[in-house]
Amino acid sequence: MPSHSLALAKPKVQSLIFLTGSLWKGWGGQICSQPQRRGIRSCLSPLCAFTTHVQDRMAKRIHARRLEGVDENIWVELVSLAEQYKTVNLGQGFPNFSPPSYMREAFSKAVTDEHTLLNQYTRAFGHPPLVKALAQLFGPLFGQDLNPLTNVMVSVGAYGALFSTFQALVDEGDEVIIIEPFFDSYEPMTLMAGGRCVYVSLRPVSEQKPADGGKPLDSGGWRLDLAELEAKINKNTKMLVLNTPNNPLGKVFNKEELEEIANICVKYDLLCISDEVYEWLVYDGNQHVRIASLPGMWERTITIGSAGKTFSATGWKVGWAFGPDCLLKHLRTVHQNSVYHCATGAQEAVAQGFQTELARLGKPECYFVQLRDELQKKRDRLYRCLTEVGMKPVMSQGSYFMIADISVFKSEVPPPTDQNIPYDNYFAKWMMKHKQLAAIPMSAFYSGPHKKQFENYLRFCFVKEDATLEAAEKILQKWSRESSQRH
């Protein structure tokens, strides 16, 4: 056969080799036997063995080196276990209720009206009505006259905006300071951009104790050691990543804390990514302060926001980045050469959402106010339930998460014999299996070397329907009764 014919035939041969067992069997062939009861070898066919060999060889040589070390994800396993054990899921951080009805109607109208251009591409860096509404709302909050076309970029969720930021601003060898606990994407995004992660942990203030009958422990008691932060900075340090309100802790950095961080950023000429997706969910009279509004910070900060968190519509995947054009232009380069664009209909609905809320901002009928007040009640309910079962929850100042200390359960659920497994990881799996309640281990939000230092906490999500919280409450109350009977 001529060489050019062999070249044409090769892809077809490879396709045949990689046919699944079920498809091959459907053609009357037999590749694999049924799995044996003992041992792991279930494939008897030479073709199957050859396929596995080729796949193994290809898997070792085709993936990019930047994926090494970021390919494993604890969330996949935990979500699978939650489904397997039919749990009441207070683990995953998304609402199980709908966005406001007027926004759902706007989305539906955008994609179902006849002859609408809203089913087609819009402006790549943000639907014009949406970037205009964002600039109008957030300009005064930043103390800036925002240009909708140069100071705002819309992407595929906050995740897309974060990815564009890391890819645009982090270079090979740059060091990025990440404040722990951290949203888990910061680490792989830094590594894939060629950067090096440097971690500084928030720690509970040891002398913080709940007064008798007084205010409970809250997430504001977790503080940053500024001397430790400053000691981590060197000539390679380029950026600091801040998340306020913090996921998973629920800490809201106050103005004094942010001013201290800002002073360090200015002193060492650091860029700042400020992830503020939970900005409207701040409780007990605490105030959300935007670090980009502080002196010397606008020109060095990218601020990330999310329609999913703002309007309880995480599946719409609409997020944005604010910043000076000198930084944002580089994000636009990444964005236009990767995702390029996000759904026009979703952007139109979010634009209408902001236009509606702008007219009633701060008033009782404002969705941001209503959602905050509703979630504060849900948070308080969960706090009481976790306390009853013996956990020591840390009252969340913001976001829709709350952590709880599970140290008291070490007698009932002894730590694993493998000392490399964090206790919270082990306990979370035990709780799913034996109590049908799902939460996320706090250690998942820490770097490898620090996981064991913070292994005594679980993260619970309270942005759930009352029926879900009621089901969780029944589980915790039953658990509490059983524990009382044993003791």
Side-chain angles (χ1 to χ4, degrees), residues 170-420:
V170 177
D171 211 348
E172 196 78 30
D174 287 341
E175 294 190 2
V176 176
I177 294 178
I178 299 175
I179 298 174
E180 298 179 304
F182 59 88
F183 179 55
D184 66 309
S185 73
Y186 304 156
E187 183 179 56
M189 286 186 184
T190 298
L191 296 175
M192 285 193 290
R196 176 176 176 267
C197 300
V198 178
Y199 306 97
V200 181
S201 299
L202 292 164
R203 292 184 173 85
V205 179
S206 58
E207 62 267 21
Q208 187 199 25
K209 297 178 181 178
D212 294 337
K215 185 179 178 181
L217 295 172
D218 70 40
S219 54
W222 288 57
R223 307 284 293 191
L224 192 63
D225 185 332
L226 295 174
E228 180 186 3
L229 170 60
E230 201 160 2
K232 295 290 181 74
I233 298 171
N234 60 46
K235 62 183 179 62
N236 296 318
T237 308
K238 186 172 187 180
M239 179 184 293
L240 179 143
V241 184
L242 172 72
N243 177 208
T244 181
N246 177 270
N247 171 18
L249 183 56
K251 176 182 174 65
V252 176
F253 285 78
N254 62 39
K255 186 176 182 180
E256 180 184 355
E257 291 174 303
L258 293 174
E259 286 174 338
E260 292 169 337
I261 294 171
N263 290 339
I264 289 175
C265 288
V266 172
K267 179 180 178 180
Y268 294 98
D269 195 23
L270 304 182
L271 298 177
C272 178
I273 299 178
S274 188
D275 182 350
E276 303 180 13
V277 297
Y278 301 103
E279 59 196 324
W280 302 106
L281 304 177
V282 178
Y283 314 119
D284 302 321
N286 288 292
Q287 298 296 315
H288 175 66
V289 178
R290 294 164 177 81
I291 196 169
S293 69
L294 300 180
M297 289 305 293
W298 169 256
E299 59 266 30
R300 64 180 69 252
T301 304
I302 296 293
T303 303
I304 306 295
S306 164
K309 306 303 188 294
T310 300
F311 291 108
S312 307
T314 58
W316 293 10
K317 294 303 292 179
V318 176
W320 49 82
F322 296 109
D325 186 46
C326 63
L327 297 181
L328 222 55
K329 66 180 182 180
H330 302 300
L331 275 65
R332 293 194 292 267
T333 299
V334 175
H335 178 88
Q336 72 188 15
N337 290 296
S338 52
V339 298
Y340 177 68
H341 179 274
C342 73
T344 306
Q347 291 191 70
E348 173 67 18
V350 174
Q352 292 192 32
F354 276 120
Q355 289 162 4
T356 299
E357 299 307 328
L358 264 167
R360 54 193 187 192
L361 195 64
K363 298 177 182 178
E365 61 269 27
C366 178
Y367 181 74
F368 307 156
V369 173
Q370 292 179 346
L371 181 62
R372 179 201 67 196
D373 292 348
E374 184 65 25
L375 289 185
Q376 183 166 323
K377 295 175 185 176
K378 294 176 185 291
R379 178 205 63 172
D380 293 347
R381 180 180 188 177
L382 180 60
Y383 184 94
R384 290 192 298 270
C385 295
L386 295 175
T387 302
E388 286 176 7
V389 80
M391 296 185 191
K392 296 178 181 178
V394 177
M395 187 64 86
S396 172
Q397 295 178 315
S399 80
Y400 38 60
F401 303 108
M402 179 160 53
I403 67 167
D405 190 329
I406 55 172
S407 302
V408 70
F409 291 96
K410 287 188 175 179
S411 58
E412 180 181 348
V413 186
T417 54
D418 186 347
Q419 296 299 308
N420 293 317

